[in-house]
């Protein structure tokens, strides 16, 4: 039996979600929707990867 190839985009998307959620849970500024200097790029990466992943899903339909 062969393993399914890893979907690199999905893996990066889920990792960025975890990074964003972890940071958000520990950062009062980001919790108040005022992203801190550290959190802003983390949250932006998650949003960017989410957009790309969802766009790809729409193309596959």
């Amino acid at each position: 039996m062969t393993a399914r190839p890893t979907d690199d985009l999905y893996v990066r998307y889920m990792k960025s979600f975890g990074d964003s959620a972890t940071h958000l849970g520990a950062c009062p500024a980001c919790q108040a929707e005022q992203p801190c200097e550290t959190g802003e790029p983390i949250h932006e990466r998650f949003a960017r990867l989410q957009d790309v992943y969802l766009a790809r899903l729409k193309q596959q339909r």
Side-chain angles (χ1 to χ4, degrees):
M1 179 185 329
T2 60
R4 264 178 45 181
T6 302
D7 182 347
D8 182 60
L9 175 58
Y10 180 76
V11 171
R12 290 182 293 132
Y13 167 43
M14 288 293 101
K15 168 103 173 62
S16 70
F17 168 75
D19 293 345
S20 180
T22 299
H23 179 80
L24 182 63
C27 180
C30 288
Q31 290 172 12
E33 296 184 23
Q34 299 173 355
C36 69
E37 190 173 304
T38 302
E40 189 168 11
I42 293 170
H43 305 311
E44 285 177 359
R45 176 172 169 77
F46 167 62
R48 220 175 25 255
L49 285 169
Q50 183 178 45
D51 290 345
V52 171
Y53 183 74
L54 294 176
R56 187 177 75 180
L57 286 179
K58 285 182 183 179
Q59 285 180 342
Q60 291 176 350
R61 289 185 180 169

